[in-house]
Amino acid sequence: MPVPREIPRALGDVIRLGIFSSLESISILHMAVPAQGQFHPLSPLMAGIEAARPPLRELELQAEEGVDDEDAGAVAIAIASGSLRGLQFLRLSLPRIGAVGGRLLSFSIATKQLPRLRVLDSRNTAIAGGLGALAQVVNAENLPEILALDLSRCGISDQDATALATTWRTQPPLATLQSFILEGNPLNQEGAVALADMLREGKLPGLRYLTIKSHAAPPPAAAFDLVFGAQHQPGHVGAEGMQALEMALPGFRSIRPGGNGGGWVPPPEWDSSEGCLKAPFLTSGERIVVL
């Protein structure tokens, strides 16, 4: 059942009053879509966070049917203002973000106001024009403690993947990143090879888990129809793309479609109590690439 838009507004009001001065975690799932002319659900919530600056460590915002540029902008402003500097876990699953909202979110991360962020989860987020700009600001300078990046089912194209790989190749290695999830995107051989070239240069030396499989379920069709103009279709990296990735990741156990290489292994999970990633399904020192 969708969360009524009054809930984030009420929460923002009580946070602004200092009632939850020690609040460390906010999770709002299945936010309702505002009707024409109604206020947007995230604006009052983020305004309250900016005003009171509670010591948030985790923020999870999810909307099945979508928010828009104003909501994305509210989150971006809160980040850029320094109100979320203690954040360790950020999940923004916000379909139907326009190009303006995407640029604002990218700019906010580039302000270096998330120095403790360890997990950036943007699964199922459709940004008009692609998620490439947001992905490119994920680097060691902007996010010095980043451990996990989830861009699954985000409509990332070969062009986006190539732009990301090119950017990372020109920057210092992102040594902290352990988990990189790209499943369910329309990636084909071109994008896979571009990522492999970047990996071959040792730009993700701490990587333990990579999944690029493109046969996962796509995000809600309505969201992608609106943003991209046509229903999302998963890609296929092909034999050459798989081989390029395997050659770029010596020492990784490769799991190919059909179970070749063993059964599917879940990715590392965020442990909020300890503030770190846990990988109970990986043996000590094991590294996995799921194709």
Side-chain angles (χ1 to χ4, degrees):
M1 179 177 179
V3 174
R5 64 186 186 281
E6 289 80 10
I7 298 299
R9 179 179 65 177
L11 180 57
D13 289 342
V14 297
I15 290 175
R16 184 193 298 272
L17 294 173
I19 296 175
F20 294 146
S21 58
S22 60
L23 186 66
E24 294 188 353
S25 178
I26 294 177
S27 180
I28 300 180
L29 309 180
H30 313 298
M31 288 182 290
V33 182
Q36 185 68 31
Q38 294 178 333
F39 69 85
H40 297 266
L42 292 184
S43 298
L45 172 61
M46 303 315 296
I49 291 173
E50 286 181 69
R53 302 202 172 196
L56 283 176
R57 294 191 305 112
E58 300 180 1
L59 178 61
E60 183 175 13
L61 303 172
Q62 176 181 320
E64 288 189 350
E65 293 296 332
V67 295
D68 66 5
D69 283 348
E70 184 172 332
D71 298 288
V75 175
I77 291 171
I79 292 174
S81 71
S83 305
L84 299 170
R85 285 185 61 84
L87 208 62
Q88 295 181 323
F89 177 93
L90 176 60
R91 174 173 290 160
L92 296 175
S93 186
L94 307 175
R96 303 196 305 190
I97 297 176
V100 172
R103 286 196 295 269
L104 288 172
L105 286 172
S106 301
F107 170 78
S108 69
I109 293 176
T111 61
K112 303 177 179 58
Q113 293 299 321
L114 293 173
R116 299 195 62 200
L117 191 69
R118 296 176 181 175
V119 176
L120 177 57
D121 185 341
S122 293
R123 69 183 72 177
N124 301 319
T125 296
I127 296 180
L131 205 72
L134 181 60
Q136 289 181 59
V137 297
V138 177
N139 57 48
E141 185 177 5
N142 295 331
L143 300 174
E145 295 189 12
I146 191 70
L147 299 174
L149 179 61
D150 189 339
L151 301 178
S152 56
R153 297 176 292 280
C154 288
I156 293 179
S157 65
D158 287 339
Q159 183 178 2
D160 294 327
T162 300
L164 171 62
T166 300
T167 298
W168 280 0
R169 289 176 71 178
T170 64
Q171 296 176 343
L174 189 55
T176 58
L177 193 68
Q178 299 176 17
S179 175
F180 189 18
I181 301 178
L182 280 168
E183 70 179 31
N185 287 296
L187 285 174
N188 296 295
Q189 179 178 310
E190 179 184 345
V193 170
L195 291 170
D197 289 343
M198 176 270 297
L199 291 166
R200 192 177 295 109
E201 295 184 10
K203 293 300 182 178
L204 301 179
L207 194 65
R208 291 195 65 195
Y209 187 97
L210 170 66
T211 176
I212 198 171
K213 64 178 183 177
S214 54
H215 44 81
F224 272 84
D225 285 347
L226 178 64
V227 176
F228 296 104
Q231 184 171 347
H232 166 73
Q233 295 294 330
H236 181 61
V237 299
E240 291 187 25
M242 292 183 188
Q243 184 178 21
L245 286 165
E246 289 170 340
M247 293 180 64
L249 296 169
F252 276 64
R253 176 158 68 91
S254 175
I255 301 176
R256 289 196 175 203
N260 186 9
W264 180 74
V265 178
E269 299 176 349
W270 172 247
D271 187 320
S272 59
S273 62
E274 297 188 21
C276 65
L277 287 183
K278 293 290 185 67
F281 298 99
L282 297 181
T283 60
S284 179
E286 185 178 28
R287 297 181 293 176
I288 297 287
V289 55
V290 182
L291 302 169

